Amino acid sequence: MTAIRLLLVDDDPLVRAGLSLMMGGADDIEIVGEASDGAEVGDLVERTRPDVVLMDIRMPSVDGLTATERLRGRPDAPQVVLLTTFHADEHVLRALRAGAAGFVLKDTPPAEIVEAVRRVAAGDPVLSPTVTRQLMAHAAGAAADTRRARARARIAALNDRECEVAVAVGRGLSNAQIAAALFMSVATVKTHVSRILTKLDLNNRVQIALLAHDAGLLDEDPGA
């Protein structure tokens, strides 16, 4: 199996050392570089070609949000997972909309952070349902109606089946769970997800979830 190439970015050397020790114990993860600020990320990505960047949000020069936006604008960009304290980071949504594959809290157990890197490398977003609801609550406000109208206009490009898949992705279901719920094969689910990403010009499943949320498609009780 090819090892997951990982770049670590955090301005705290103790945090980087802890992450390095944690990730270094996984046989399927190779740490290809470390950086102390988002300003260093672009050059390091060019040199090391990581599959995943695990990056702090708050850094003194170029923060993780800006660095994420810059990275996701590149062709063949690596997946980005943000490290956050959450309660102080109301701008996480900005990073997710820019294409970050998710985030983990800094006090997350080590085994879960390692698993988060694996999941993101495999194409699955890292967002717990509880924290996702809290994060998405930040999107509420005066511009909610305008945001919903724009999101609904974009969603209109999907056919009915694709819309069902988008809603399921928004609810945090895996491909296997979507296949079971919608009576289709996992391969067909993957095809629908790929078409949704292409039609809506999105980077990953997290952005599908955010768009479905903005369009109000997740408001109804799925069991109703």
Side-chain angles (χ1 to χ4, degrees):
M1 183 192 305
T2 302
I4 300 165
R5 298 174 61 81
L6 177 67
L7 175 64
L8 301 176
V9 187
D10 196 296
D11 64 315
D12 187 333
L14 289 178
V15 172
R16 287 203 312 276
L19 290 171
S20 181
L21 182 64
M22 182 191 314
M23 296 299 172
D27 294 336
D28 57 341
I29 296 176
E30 176 188 0
I31 299 172
V32 296
E34 296 184 18
S36 60
D37 193 83
E40 306 168 35
V41 172
D43 288 341
L44 267 176
V45 166
E46 286 289 339
R47 294 203 308 269
T48 63
R49 300 293 178 182
D51 300 306
V52 179
V53 178
L54 182 60
M55 179 160 52
D56 190 14
I57 283 185
R58 294 179 179 269
M59 291 180 286
S61 179
V62 175
D63 62 33
L65 301 175
T66 301
T68 296
E69 291 172 338
R70 291 176 180 175
L71 276 183
R72 295 307 300 175
R74 294 168 173 250
D76 301 321
Q79 297 293 342
V80 177
V81 179
L82 295 167
L83 288 165
T84 175
T85 54
F86 174 62
H87 298 293
D89 289 325
E90 68 275 10
H91 299 300
V92 174
L93 271 174
R94 171 184 153 196
L96 297 181
R97 293 184 192 284
F103 69 95
V104 291
L105 303 183
K106 284 196 171 182
D107 59 359
T108 298
E112 292 183 21
I113 296 181
V114 173
E115 185 59 26
V117 170
R118 290 179 177 136
R119 285 180 54 192
V120 166
D124 293 327
V126 181
L127 293 169
S128 72
T130 300
V131 180
T132 299
R133 285 193 293 271
Q134 291 177 299
L135 278 173
M136 287 181 170
H138 287 299
D145 289 342
T146 299
R147 189 168 49 250
R148 174 164 293 198
R150 289 175 179 171
R152 284 182 178 271
R154 293 185 68 187
I155 288 288
L158 305 180
N159 61 37
D160 290 345
R161 202 57 163 164
E162 290 165 347
C163 191
E164 289 177 333
V165 172
V167 170
V169 169
R171 297 196 189 284
L173 301 185
S174 67
N175 287 340
Q177 290 171 324
I178 296 172
L182 299 181
F183 305 102
M184 61 177 72
S185 69
V186 172
T188 300
V189 173
K190 291 180 178 179
T191 296
H192 281 308
V193 171
S194 179
R195 287 176 179 168
I196 291 168
L197 292 171
T198 299
K199 282 187 176 183
L200 301 182
D201 191 26
L202 301 175
N203 290 314
N204 55 42
R205 295 167 72 99
V206 175
Q207 290 186 324
I208 295 176
L210 290 170
L211 189 63
H213 169 268
D214 285 351
L217 302 183
L218 309 184
D219 293 347
E220 296 181 2
D221 183 349

